Amino acid sequence: MNWTRDKSIRLSKVCTLACAAALAGLCTAAAAGWPAESWRGIGFNWYAVTLFAFAVPAFTAMGALYRLLHAISRSEVFVPENVRRLRVISWCCFAAAAVFLASSLYRPMWGVLALAGAFGGMVLRVVKNVFAAAVALQNEHDLTI
């Protein structure tokens, strides 16, 4: 099988949509009361609270990622909009990390997810800075005669 750039982008888009669908399914299940575990006898579904709080930045990041992939498929790579999209995705990672850090008060192992989200956000900030520098170089190159 000949793996091309277009096939790779298409696969990434499909994976992004599949993750969004899985998260939507989890949110639907949580709204229906699954899993219903109380914490310290307070009959409250803390999993659902965490999931719904996580879903906001997650859906935002997946939307920005899909738009980023769509722009790259149109050969619009080093443009200011992609820098903005990467910035949004990185802040969404930090927001998700904050959700999991707060949730680690009742599930300590979720601190690992907070650490992973923060690390992902930091890596994306570096990639965003590289893209911003490339956009500046591209703009300078375009103005050169």
Side-chain angles (χ1 to χ4, degrees):
M1 180 164 115
N2 189 12
W3 198 251
T4 65
R5 173 183 163 268
D6 291 334
K7 288 180 183 177
S8 178
I9 291 173
R10 201 171 312 127
L11 176 64
S12 297
K13 285 181 173 181
V14 168
C15 289
T16 302
L17 292 174
C19 286
L23 183 58
L26 285 173
C27 287
T28 302
W34 177 87
E37 177 185 303
S38 63
W39 178 56
R40 295 187 184 164
I42 305 173
F44 195 73
N45 192 344
W46 288 101
Y47 285 116
V49 171
T50 299
L51 183 63
F52 293 143
F54 166 73
V56 174
F59 280 128
T60 303
M62 285 186 263
L65 178 61
Y66 190 86
R67 288 187 298 278
L68 176 67
L69 290 167
H70 187 67
I72 291 171
S73 71
R74 292 186 320 237
S75 296
E76 298 171 2
V77 180
F78 298 116
V79 294
E81 292 82 17
N82 288 346
V83 173
R84 184 185 56 79
R85 290 175 183 128
L86 286 168
R87 182 180 297 117
V88 166
I89 296 168
S90 71
W91 281 114
C92 287
C93 286
F94 289 127
V99 168
F100 285 118
L101 184 63
S103 297
S104 69
L105 293 174
Y106 71 94
R107 280 285 180 237
M109 286 302 295
W110 286 14
V112 174
L113 292 175
L115 183 62
F119 180 75
M122 288 187 297
V123 169
L124 281 167
R125 296 299 290 183
V126 171
V127 172
K128 188 256 330 162
N129 290 334
V130 170
F131 260 69
V135 167
L137 285 173
Q138 174 118 12
N139 289 341
E140 183 180 321
H141 175 71
D142 290 345
L143 294 175
T144 304
I145 297 176

Short mmCIF file of all heavy atoms in Angstrom, two decimals, residues 33-102:
data_model
loop_
_atom_site.label_atom_id
_atom_site.label_comp_id
_atom_site.label_asym_id
_atom_site.label_seq_id
_atom_site.Cartn_x
_atom_site.Cartn_y
_atom_site.Cartn_z
N GLY A 33 -26.35 8.23 33.81
CA GLY A 33 -26.06 7.73 35.14
C GLY A 33 -25.00 6.66 35.23
O GLY A 33 -24.84 6.05 36.28
N TRP A 34 -24.25 6.42 34.16
CA TRP A 34 -23.20 5.42 34.22
C TRP A 34 -21.85 6.11 34.13
O TRP A 34 -21.69 7.00 33.30
CB TRP A 34 -23.33 4.44 33.06
CG TRP A 34 -22.23 3.44 33.06
CD1 TRP A 34 -22.20 2.26 33.72
CD2 TRP A 34 -20.98 3.54 32.37
NE1 TRP A 34 -21.02 1.62 33.48
CE2 TRP A 34 -20.24 2.39 32.66
CE3 TRP A 34 -20.40 4.51 31.56
CZ2 TRP A 34 -18.97 2.17 32.16
CZ3 TRP A 34 -19.14 4.29 31.05
CH2 TRP A 34 -18.44 3.12 31.35
N PRO A 35 -20.84 5.80 34.82
CA PRO A 35 -20.87 4.97 36.03
C PRO A 35 -21.32 5.80 37.21
O PRO A 35 -20.93 6.96 37.33
CB PRO A 35 -19.43 4.50 36.20
CG PRO A 35 -18.62 5.61 35.59
CD PRO A 35 -19.47 6.19 34.48
N ALA A 36 -22.14 5.28 38.05
CA ALA A 36 -22.67 6.03 39.19
C ALA A 36 -21.98 5.58 40.46
O ALA A 36 -22.41 4.65 41.11
CB ALA A 36 -24.18 5.84 39.28
N GLU A 37 -20.88 6.20 40.76
CA GLU A 37 -20.17 5.89 41.99
C GLU A 37 -20.17 7.14 42.86
O GLU A 37 -19.87 8.22 42.39
CB GLU A 37 -18.74 5.47 41.68
CG GLU A 37 -17.94 5.19 42.94
CD GLU A 37 -16.49 4.89 42.63
OE1 GLU A 37 -16.23 3.96 41.87
OE2 GLU A 37 -15.63 5.62 43.15
N SER A 38 -20.52 6.97 44.08
CA SER A 38 -20.46 8.12 44.97
C SER A 38 -19.10 8.17 45.65
O SER A 38 -18.40 7.18 45.74
CB SER A 38 -21.58 8.04 46.01
OG SER A 38 -21.40 6.91 46.82
N TRP A 39 -18.77 9.32 46.11
CA TRP A 39 -17.48 9.53 46.76
C TRP A 39 -17.74 9.89 48.21
O TRP A 39 -18.44 10.86 48.50
CB TRP A 39 -16.73 10.62 46.05
CG TRP A 39 -15.42 10.95 46.65
CD1 TRP A 39 -14.39 10.09 46.86
CD2 TRP A 39 -14.98 12.22 47.10
NE1 TRP A 39 -13.33 10.75 47.41
CE2 TRP A 39 -13.66 12.07 47.57
CE3 TRP A 39 -15.55 13.48 47.14
CZ2 TRP A 39 -12.93 13.12 48.08
CZ3 TRP A 39 -14.82 14.52 47.64
CH2 TRP A 39 -13.52 14.33 48.10
N ARG A 40 -17.21 9.10 49.09
CA ARG A 40 -17.35 9.32 50.54
C ARG A 40 -18.82 9.44 50.95
O ARG A 40 -19.18 10.29 51.77
CB ARG A 40 -16.56 10.55 50.97
CG ARG A 40 -15.08 10.37 50.80
CD ARG A 40 -14.32 11.52 51.39
NE ARG A 40 -12.90 11.34 51.12
CZ ARG A 40 -12.01 12.28 51.23
NH1 ARG A 40 -12.36 13.49 51.58
NH2 ARG A 40 -10.75 12.05 50.98
N GLY A 41 -19.65 8.65 50.34
CA GLY A 41 -21.05 8.59 50.74
C GLY A 41 -21.90 9.77 50.30
O GLY A 41 -23.04 9.89 50.68
N ILE A 42 -21.33 10.67 49.47
CA ILE A 42 -22.12 11.81 49.01
C ILE A 42 -22.86 11.37 47.76
O ILE A 42 -22.54 11.73 46.83
CB ILE A 42 -21.20 13.00 48.66
CG1 ILE A 42 -20.31 13.35 49.81
CG2 ILE A 42 -21.97 14.17 48.18
CD1 ILE A 42 -19.26 14.39 49.49
N GLY A 43 -23.84 10.82 47.59
CA GLY A 43 -24.43 10.26 46.38
C GLY A 43 -24.35 11.18 45.18
O GLY A 43 -25.36 11.69 44.73
N PHE A 44 -23.16 11.42 44.68
CA PHE A 44 -22.95 12.35 43.57
C PHE A 44 -22.05 11.68 42.54
O PHE A 44 -21.07 11.05 42.90
CB PHE A 44 -22.30 13.63 44.11
CG PHE A 44 -22.37 14.79 43.16
CD1 PHE A 44 -23.57 15.43 42.94
CD2 PHE A 44 -21.24 15.21 42.48
CE1 PHE A 44 -23.63 16.51 42.07
CE2 PHE A 44 -21.30 16.27 41.62
CZ PHE A 44 -22.50 16.93 41.42
N ASN A 45 -22.35 11.82 41.29
CA ASN A 45 -21.60 11.16 40.22
C ASN A 45 -20.39 12.03 39.83
O ASN A 45 -20.46 12.83 38.91
CB ASN A 45 -22.51 10.90 39.02
CG ASN A 45 -21.87 9.98 38.02
OD1 ASN A 45 -20.67 9.76 38.03
ND2 ASN A 45 -22.67 9.45 37.13
N TRP A 46 -19.28 11.84 40.54
CA TRP A 46 -18.09 12.63 40.29
C TRP A 46 -17.45 12.30 38.95
O TRP A 46 -16.82 13.17 38.34
CB TRP A 46 -17.08 12.43 41.41
CG TRP A 46 -17.53 13.10 42.66
CD1 TRP A 46 -18.11 12.52 43.75
CD2 TRP A 46 -17.48 14.50 42.94
NE1 TRP A 46 -18.42 13.46 44.68
CE2 TRP A 46 -18.04 14.70 44.22
CE3 TRP A 46 -17.02 15.61 42.25
CZ2 TRP A 46 -18.14 15.94 44.80
CZ3 TRP A 46 -17.12 16.85 42.83
CH2 TRP A 46 -17.68 17.01 44.09
N TYR A 47 -17.62 11.08 38.48
CA TYR A 47 -17.11 10.74 37.15
C TYR A 47 -17.78 11.61 36.09
O TYR A 47 -17.12 12.10 35.18
CB TYR A 47 -17.35 9.26 36.83
CG TYR A 47 -16.43 8.32 37.55
CD1 TYR A 47 -16.94 7.41 38.47
CD2 TYR A 47 -15.06 8.33 37.31
CE1 TYR A 47 -16.09 6.53 39.13
CE2 TYR A 47 -14.22 7.46 37.96
CZ TYR A 47 -14.74 6.56 38.88
OH TYR A 47 -13.91 5.70 39.53
N ALA A 48 -19.09 11.77 36.22
CA ALA A 48 -19.82 12.57 35.24
C ALA A 48 -19.38 14.03 35.29
O ALA A 48 -19.20 14.66 34.25
CB ALA A 48 -21.33 12.46 35.48
N VAL A 49 -19.18 14.55 36.48
CA VAL A 49 -18.72 15.94 36.62
C VAL A 49 -17.37 16.11 35.94
O VAL A 49 -17.16 17.05 35.18
CB VAL A 49 -18.66 16.35 38.11
CG1 VAL A 49 -17.98 17.70 38.28
CG2 VAL A 49 -20.04 16.36 38.72
N THR A 50 -16.46 15.19 36.21
CA THR A 50 -15.14 15.25 35.58
C THR A 50 -15.24 15.13 34.07
O THR A 50 -14.61 15.89 33.33
CB THR A 50 -14.23 14.13 36.14
OG1 THR A 50 -14.08 14.32 37.53
CG2 THR A 50 -12.87 14.14 35.47
N LEU A 51 -16.06 14.19 33.62
CA LEU A 51 -16.19 13.97 32.18
C LEU A 51 -16.78 15.19 31.48
O LEU A 51 -16.28 15.62 30.43
CB LEU A 51 -17.06 12.74 31.92
CG LEU A 51 -17.22 12.35 30.46
CD1 LEU A 51 -15.87 11.98 29.85
CD2 LEU A 51 -18.19 11.21 30.32
N PHE A 52 -17.82 15.78 32.06
CA PHE A 52 -18.43 16.95 31.44
C PHE A 52 -17.48 18.15 31.45
O PHE A 52 -17.43 18.91 30.49
CB PHE A 52 -19.75 17.31 32.11
CG PHE A 52 -20.83 16.28 31.91
CD1 PHE A 52 -21.72 15.99 32.93
CD2 PHE A 52 -20.95 15.59 30.72
CE1 PHE A 52 -22.71 15.04 32.76
CE2 PHE A 52 -21.94 14.63 30.54
CZ PHE A 52 -22.82 14.36 31.56
N ALA A 53 -16.73 18.30 32.55
CA ALA A 53 -15.76 19.40 32.61
C ALA A 53 -14.63 19.18 31.60
O ALA A 53 -14.12 20.14 31.01
CB ALA A 53 -15.20 19.52 34.03
N PHE A 54 -14.24 17.92 31.41
CA PHE A 54 -13.19 17.60 30.44
C PHE A 54 -13.70 17.73 29.01
O PHE A 54 -12.94 18.10 28.11
CB PHE A 54 -12.70 16.17 30.69
CG PHE A 54 -11.87 15.60 29.57
CD1 PHE A 54 -10.58 16.04 29.35
CD2 PHE A 54 -12.40 14.64 28.72
CE1 PHE A 54 -9.81 15.52 28.32
CE2 PHE A 54 -11.65 14.12 27.69
CZ PHE A 54 -10.35 14.57 27.48
N ALA A 55 -14.97 17.46 28.79
CA ALA A 55 -15.52 17.45 27.43
C ALA A 55 -15.46 18.81 26.76
O ALA A 55 -15.25 18.90 25.54
CB ALA A 55 -16.97 16.94 27.45
N VAL A 56 -15.59 19.87 27.53
CA VAL A 56 -15.57 21.22 26.93
C VAL A 56 -14.23 21.50 26.25
O VAL A 56 -14.20 21.79 25.04
CB VAL A 56 -15.93 22.29 27.99
CG1 VAL A 56 -15.76 23.68 27.41
CG2 VAL A 56 -17.35 22.07 28.50
N PRO A 57 -13.09 21.41 26.96
CA PRO A 57 -11.84 21.65 26.24
C PRO A 57 -11.52 20.55 25.22
O PRO A 57 -10.88 20.82 24.20
CB PRO A 57 -10.77 21.71 27.34
CG PRO A 57 -11.37 21.05 28.52
CD PRO A 57 -12.85 21.23 28.40
N ALA A 58 -11.97 19.33 25.47
CA ALA A 58 -11.67 18.24 24.54
C ALA A 58 -12.37 18.46 23.20
O ALA A 58 -11.75 18.32 22.14
CB ALA A 58 -12.09 16.91 25.15
N PHE A 59 -13.66 18.80 23.24
CA PHE A 59 -14.37 19.05 21.98
C PHE A 59 -13.80 20.29 21.27
O PHE A 59 -13.70 20.31 20.04
CB PHE A 59 -15.87 19.23 22.21
CG PHE A 59 -16.61 17.93 22.37
CD1 PHE A 59 -17.43 17.72 23.47
CD2 PHE A 59 -16.51 16.92 21.43
CE1 PHE A 59 -18.13 16.54 23.63
CE2 PHE A 59 -17.20 15.73 21.58
CZ PHE A 59 -18.01 15.54 22.68
N THR A 60 -13.44 21.30 22.04
CA THR A 60 -12.84 22.50 21.44
C THR A 60 -11.52 22.15 20.75
O THR A 60 -11.27 22.58 19.61
CB THR A 60 -12.59 23.57 22.53
OG1 THR A 60 -13.84 23.86 23.18
CG2 THR A 60 -12.03 24.84 21.94
N ALA A 61 -10.69 21.35 21.42
CA ALA A 61 -9.41 20.95 20.84
C ALA A 61 -9.61 20.09 19.60
O ALA A 61 -8.91 20.27 18.59
CB ALA A 61 -8.57 20.19 21.87
N MET A 62 -10.57 19.17 19.65
CA MET A 62 -10.80 18.31 18.48
C MET A 62 -11.33 19.11 17.29
O MET A 62 -10.96 18.84 16.14
CB MET A 62 -11.75 17.17 18.84
CG MET A 62 -11.06 16.09 19.66
SD MET A 62 -12.10 14.67 19.97
CE MET A 62 -12.71 15.06 21.59
N GLY A 63 -12.15 20.11 17.56
CA GLY A 63 -12.62 20.98 16.47
C GLY A 63 -11.48 21.77 15.85
O GLY A 63 -11.36 21.86 14.62
N ALA A 64 -10.61 22.31 16.70
CA ALA A 64 -9.46 23.07 16.19
C ALA A 64 -8.50 22.15 15.43
O ALA A 64 -7.94 22.53 14.40
CB ALA A 64 -8.74 23.77 17.34
N LEU A 65 -8.32 20.92 15.95
CA LEU A 65 -7.45 19.97 15.27
C LEU A 65 -8.00 19.59 13.90
O LEU A 65 -7.26 19.52 12.92
CB LEU A 65 -7.27 18.71 16.13
CG LEU A 65 -6.41 17.60 15.52
CD1 LEU A 65 -5.00 18.09 15.24
CD2 LEU A 65 -6.39 16.40 16.45
N TYR A 66 -9.31 19.38 13.82
CA TYR A 66 -9.91 19.02 12.53
C TYR A 66 -9.74 20.18 11.54
O TYR A 66 -9.40 19.96 10.37
CB TYR A 66 -11.40 18.68 12.71
CG TYR A 66 -12.00 18.08 11.48
CD1 TYR A 66 -11.91 16.71 11.25
CD2 TYR A 66 -12.63 18.87 10.53
CE1 TYR A 66 -12.45 16.16 10.10
CE2 TYR A 66 -13.17 18.32 9.38
CZ TYR A 66 -13.07 16.96 9.18
OH TYR A 66 -13.60 16.42 8.03
N ARG A 67 -9.96 21.42 12.00
CA ARG A 67 -9.78 22.57 11.11
C ARG A 67 -8.31 22.72 10.69
O ARG A 67 -8.02 23.09 9.55
CB ARG A 67 -10.30 23.84 11.77
CG ARG A 67 -11.83 23.88 11.84
CD ARG A 67 -12.36 25.21 12.34
NE ARG A 67 -11.93 25.55 13.68
CZ ARG A 67 -12.49 25.10 14.81
NH1 ARG A 67 -13.52 24.27 14.73
NH2 ARG A 67 -12.04 25.46 15.98
N LEU A 68 -7.38 22.43 11.61
CA LEU A 68 -5.96 22.46 11.28
C LEU A 68 -5.63 21.43 10.20
O LEU A 68 -4.95 21.73 9.22
CB LEU A 68 -5.12 22.21 12.54
CG LEU A 68 -3.61 22.11 12.35
CD1 LEU A 68 -3.02 23.45 11.94
CD2 LEU A 68 -2.95 21.63 13.63
N LEU A 69 -6.13 20.22 10.37
CA LEU A 69 -5.89 19.17 9.37
C LEU A 69 -6.51 19.55 8.02
O LEU A 69 -5.91 19.29 6.97
CB LEU A 69 -6.46 17.84 9.86
CG LEU A 69 -5.71 17.21 11.03
CD1 LEU A 69 -6.54 16.08 11.63
CD2 LEU A 69 -4.35 16.72 10.59
N HIS A 70 -7.69 20.15 8.06
CA HIS A 70 -8.34 20.56 6.81
C HIS A 70 -7.51 21.64 6.10
O HIS A 70 -7.34 21.59 4.87
CB HIS A 70 -9.76 21.06 7.10
CG HIS A 70 -10.55 21.33 5.87
ND1 HIS A 70 -10.94 20.34 5.00
CD2 HIS A 70 -11.00 22.50 5.35
CE1 HIS A 70 -11.61 20.88 4.00
NE2 HIS A 70 -11.66 22.19 4.19
N ALA A 71 -6.97 22.58 6.86
CA ALA A 71 -6.13 23.63 6.25
C ALA A 71 -4.86 23.02 5.67
O ALA A 71 -4.45 23.39 4.56
CB ALA A 71 -5.79 24.69 7.30
N ILE A 72 -4.26 22.07 6.38
CA ILE A 72 -3.05 21.43 5.87
C ILE A 72 -3.36 20.64 4.59
O ILE A 72 -2.56 20.62 3.66
CB ILE A 72 -2.42 20.54 6.95
CG1 ILE A 72 -1.86 21.42 8.07
CG2 ILE A 72 -1.33 19.65 6.37
CD1 ILE A 72 -1.41 20.65 9.29
N SER A 73 -4.54 20.03 4.53
CA SER A 73 -4.91 19.29 3.32
C SER A 73 -5.06 20.22 2.12
O SER A 73 -4.91 19.78 0.99
CB SER A 73 -6.19 18.48 3.55
OG SER A 73 -7.30 19.32 3.63
N ARG A 74 -5.36 21.49 2.37
CA ARG A 74 -5.46 22.48 1.28
C ARG A 74 -4.12 23.18 1.05
O ARG A 74 -4.07 24.22 0.40
CB ARG A 74 -6.52 23.52 1.64
CG ARG A 74 -7.93 22.99 1.66
CD ARG A 74 -8.92 24.12 1.88
NE ARG A 74 -8.44 25.08 2.87
CZ ARG A 74 -9.08 25.43 3.98
NH1 ARG A 74 -10.24 24.88 4.27
NH2 ARG A 74 -8.58 26.32 4.79
N SER A 75 -3.04 22.63 1.63
CA SER A 75 -1.68 23.18 1.51
C SER A 75 -1.54 24.56 2.14
O SER A 75 -0.69 25.35 1.74
CB SER A 75 -1.23 23.21 0.04
OG SER A 75 -1.16 21.91 -0.46
N GLU A 76 -2.36 24.85 3.13
CA GLU A 76 -2.23 26.08 3.90
C GLU A 76 -1.57 25.71 5.22
O GLU A 76 -2.23 25.46 6.23
CB GLU A 76 -3.61 26.70 4.15
CG GLU A 76 -4.34 27.09 2.90
CD GLU A 76 -5.79 27.49 3.16
OE1 GLU A 76 -6.21 27.50 4.34
OE2 GLU A 76 -6.49 27.77 2.19
N VAL A 77 -0.24 25.65 5.22
CA VAL A 77 0.47 25.14 6.39
C VAL A 77 0.94 26.29 7.28
O VAL A 77 0.51 26.39 8.43
CB VAL A 77 1.66 24.26 5.96
CG1 VAL A 77 2.40 23.73 7.17
CG2 VAL A 77 1.17 23.11 5.09
N PHE A 78 1.82 27.12 6.79
CA PHE A 78 2.40 28.18 7.61
C PHE A 78 1.61 29.47 7.45
O PHE A 78 2.06 30.42 6.81
CB PHE A 78 3.88 28.37 7.27
CG PHE A 78 4.69 27.13 7.55
CD1 PHE A 78 5.30 26.44 6.53
CD2 PHE A 78 4.80 26.65 8.84
CE1 PHE A 78 6.04 25.31 6.79
CE2 PHE A 78 5.54 25.51 9.11
CZ PHE A 78 6.16 24.83 8.08
N VAL A 79 0.42 29.46 8.05
CA VAL A 79 -0.46 30.63 8.01
C VAL A 79 -0.82 30.99 9.45
O VAL A 79 -0.82 30.13 10.34
CB VAL A 79 -1.73 30.36 7.17
CG1 VAL A 79 -1.36 30.16 5.70
CG2 VAL A 79 -2.49 29.16 7.68
N PRO A 80 -1.14 32.25 9.71
CA PRO A 80 -1.46 32.68 11.08
C PRO A 80 -2.64 31.91 11.71
O PRO A 80 -2.66 31.70 12.92
CB PRO A 80 -1.79 34.16 10.93
CG PRO A 80 -1.10 34.59 9.68
CD PRO A 80 -1.09 33.39 8.78
N GLU A 81 -3.60 31.49 10.90
CA GLU A 81 -4.74 30.76 11.45
C GLU A 81 -4.30 29.44 12.09
O GLU A 81 -4.87 29.02 13.10
CB GLU A 81 -5.78 30.48 10.36
CG GLU A 81 -6.48 31.71 9.83
CD GLU A 81 -5.65 32.44 8.76
OE1 GLU A 81 -4.71 31.82 8.20
OE2 GLU A 81 -5.93 33.62 8.52
N ASN A 82 -3.32 28.78 11.49
CA ASN A 82 -2.83 27.52 12.07
C ASN A 82 -2.09 27.75 13.38
O ASN A 82 -2.16 26.92 14.29
CB ASN A 82 -1.95 26.77 11.08
CG ASN A 82 -2.75 26.17 9.95
OD1 ASN A 82 -3.98 26.10 10.01
ND2 ASN A 82 -2.08 25.75 8.90
N VAL A 83 -1.39 28.87 13.48
CA VAL A 83 -0.74 29.22 14.75
C VAL A 83 -1.81 29.41 15.82
O VAL A 83 -1.68 28.92 16.95
CB VAL A 83 0.13 30.49 14.60
CG1 VAL A 83 0.67 30.95 15.94
CG2 VAL A 83 1.25 30.25 13.61
N ARG A 84 -2.89 30.11 15.46
CA ARG A 84 -3.99 30.32 16.40
C ARG A 84 -4.63 28.99 16.79
O ARG A 84 -4.92 28.75 17.97
CB ARG A 84 -5.05 31.24 15.78
CG ARG A 84 -6.18 31.59 16.74
CD ARG A 84 -7.28 32.40 16.06
NE ARG A 84 -7.82 31.73 14.89
CZ ARG A 84 -8.71 30.74 14.95
NH1 ARG A 84 -9.13 30.28 16.09
NH2 ARG A 84 -9.18 30.19 13.84
N ARG A 85 -4.81 28.10 15.83
CA ARG A 85 -5.40 26.79 16.13
C ARG A 85 -4.51 25.98 17.08
O ARG A 85 -5.00 25.33 18.01
CB ARG A 85 -5.63 26.02 14.83
CG ARG A 85 -6.75 26.61 14.00
CD ARG A 85 -6.89 25.92 12.66
NE ARG A 85 -7.94 26.56 11.89
CZ ARG A 85 -7.79 27.00 10.64
NH1 ARG A 85 -6.64 26.82 10.01
NH2 ARG A 85 -8.79 27.58 10.02
N LEU A 86 -3.21 26.01 16.85
CA LEU A 86 -2.29 25.31 17.74
C LEU A 86 -2.31 25.91 19.15
O LEU A 86 -2.23 25.19 20.15
CB LEU A 86 -0.87 25.33 17.18
CG LEU A 86 -0.63 24.39 15.99
CD1 LEU A 86 0.70 24.70 15.33
CD2 LEU A 86 -0.69 22.95 16.45
N ARG A 87 -2.45 27.22 19.21
CA ARG A 87 -2.55 27.89 20.52
C ARG A 87 -3.81 27.43 21.25
O ARG A 87 -3.77 27.10 22.45
CB ARG A 87 -2.56 29.40 20.34
CG ARG A 87 -2.61 30.16 21.67
CD ARG A 87 -2.63 31.68 21.47
NE ARG A 87 -1.42 32.13 20.82
CZ ARG A 87 -1.38 32.72 19.62
NH1 ARG A 87 -2.48 32.92 18.93
NH2 ARG A 87 -0.24 33.12 19.11
N VAL A 88 -4.92 27.37 20.54
CA VAL A 88 -6.18 26.91 21.14
C VAL A 88 -6.05 25.48 21.65
O VAL A 88 -6.46 25.15 22.77
CB VAL A 88 -7.34 27.03 20.12
CG1 VAL A 88 -8.57 26.28 20.58
CG2 VAL A 88 -7.68 28.49 19.87
N ILE A 89 -5.46 24.61 20.83
CA ILE A 89 -5.30 23.21 21.23
C ILE A 89 -4.42 23.10 22.47
O ILE A 89 -4.72 22.35 23.40
CB ILE A 89 -4.74 22.36 20.07
CG1 ILE A 89 -5.73 22.33 18.90
CG2 ILE A 89 -4.44 20.95 20.53
CD1 ILE A 89 -5.16 21.77 17.61
N SER A 90 -3.34 23.88 22.51
CA SER A 90 -2.45 23.81 23.69
C SER A 90 -3.16 24.29 24.94
O SER A 90 -3.03 23.67 26.01
CB SER A 90 -1.16 24.59 23.44
OG SER A 90 -1.40 25.98 23.43
N TRP A 91 -3.92 25.37 24.85
CA TRP A 91 -4.65 25.85 26.03
C TRP A 91 -5.73 24.86 26.44
O TRP A 91 -6.01 24.70 27.64
CB TRP A 91 -5.25 27.23 25.79
CG TRP A 91 -4.22 28.31 25.94
CD1 TRP A 91 -3.73 29.13 24.96
CD2 TRP A 91 -3.51 28.67 27.13
NE1 TRP A 91 -2.77 29.98 25.47
CE2 TRP A 91 -2.63 29.71 26.81
CE3 TRP A 91 -3.54 28.21 28.45
CZ2 TRP A 91 -1.78 30.30 27.75
CZ3 TRP A 91 -2.70 28.80 29.39
CH2 TRP A 91 -1.84 29.83 29.03
N CYS A 92 -6.30 24.16 25.49
CA CYS A 92 -7.28 23.12 25.83
C CYS A 92 -6.61 21.97 26.59
O CYS A 92 -7.20 21.40 27.51
CB CYS A 92 -7.97 22.59 24.57
SG CYS A 92 -9.15 23.76 23.86
N CYS A 93 -5.38 21.65 26.22
CA CYS A 93 -4.63 20.62 26.96
C CYS A 93 -4.40 21.07 28.40
O CYS A 93 -4.56 20.28 29.34
CB CYS A 93 -3.30 20.33 26.28
SG CYS A 93 -3.43 19.37 24.78
N PHE A 94 -4.04 22.34 28.58
CA PHE A 94 -3.84 22.84 29.94
C PHE A 94 -5.15 22.86 30.73
O PHE A 94 -5.16 22.56 31.93
CB PHE A 94 -3.23 24.25 29.91
CG PHE A 94 -1.79 24.27 29.48
CD1 PHE A 94 -1.37 25.09 28.46
CD2 PHE A 94 -0.85 23.46 30.10
CE1 PHE A 94 -0.04 25.13 28.07
CE2 PHE A 94 0.49 23.48 29.72
CZ PHE A 94 0.89 24.32 28.70
N ALA A 95 -6.26 23.20 30.06
CA ALA A 95 -7.56 23.19 30.73
C ALA A 95 -7.95 21.77 31.15
O ALA A 95 -8.44 21.55 32.26
CB ALA A 95 -8.63 23.79 29.83
N ALA A 96 -7.72 20.81 30.27
CA ALA A 96 -8.00 19.41 30.61
C ALA A 96 -7.12 18.96 31.76
O ALA A 96 -7.57 18.24 32.66
CB ALA A 96 -7.80 18.52 29.38
N ALA A 97 -5.86 19.40 31.76
CA ALA A 97 -4.96 19.06 32.86
C ALA A 97 -5.48 19.63 34.18
O ALA A 97 -5.43 18.95 35.22
CB ALA A 97 -3.55 19.58 32.57
N ALA A 98 -6.02 20.83 34.14
CA ALA A 98 -6.58 21.43 35.36
C ALA A 98 -7.79 20.64 35.85
O ALA A 98 -7.95 20.43 37.07
CB ALA A 98 -6.97 22.89 35.10
N VAL A 99 -8.63 20.19 34.93
CA VAL A 99 -9.79 19.37 35.31
C VAL A 99 -9.32 18.10 36.00
O VAL A 99 -9.83 17.72 37.06
CB VAL A 99 -10.65 19.03 34.07
CG1 VAL A 99 -11.68 17.95 34.38
CG2 VAL A 99 -11.34 20.28 33.55
N PHE A 100 -8.36 17.42 35.41
CA PHE A 100 -7.89 16.16 36.00
C PHE A 100 -7.11 16.39 37.29
O PHE A 100 -7.14 15.55 38.19
CB PHE A 100 -7.09 15.35 35.00
CG PHE A 100 -7.95 14.70 33.96
CD1 PHE A 100 -7.82 15.01 32.63
CD2 PHE A 100 -8.92 13.79 34.33
CE1 PHE A 100 -8.62 14.41 31.68
CE2 PHE A 100 -9.74 13.19 33.39
CZ PHE A 100 -9.59 13.50 32.06
N LEU A 101 -6.42 17.52 37.40
CA LEU A 101 -5.74 17.83 38.65
C LEU A 101 -6.76 18.01 39.78
O LEU A 101 -6.59 17.48 40.88
CB LEU A 101 -4.86 19.07 38.50
CG LEU A 101 -4.03 19.44 39.72
CD1 LEU A 101 -3.01 18.33 40.02
CD2 LEU A 101 -3.31 20.76 39.46
N ALA A 102 -7.83 18.75 39.50
CA ALA A 102 -8.88 18.93 40.50
C ALA A 102 -9.56 17.59 40.81
O ALA A 102 -9.88 17.30 41.96
CB ALA A 102 -9.90 19.95 40.01
#
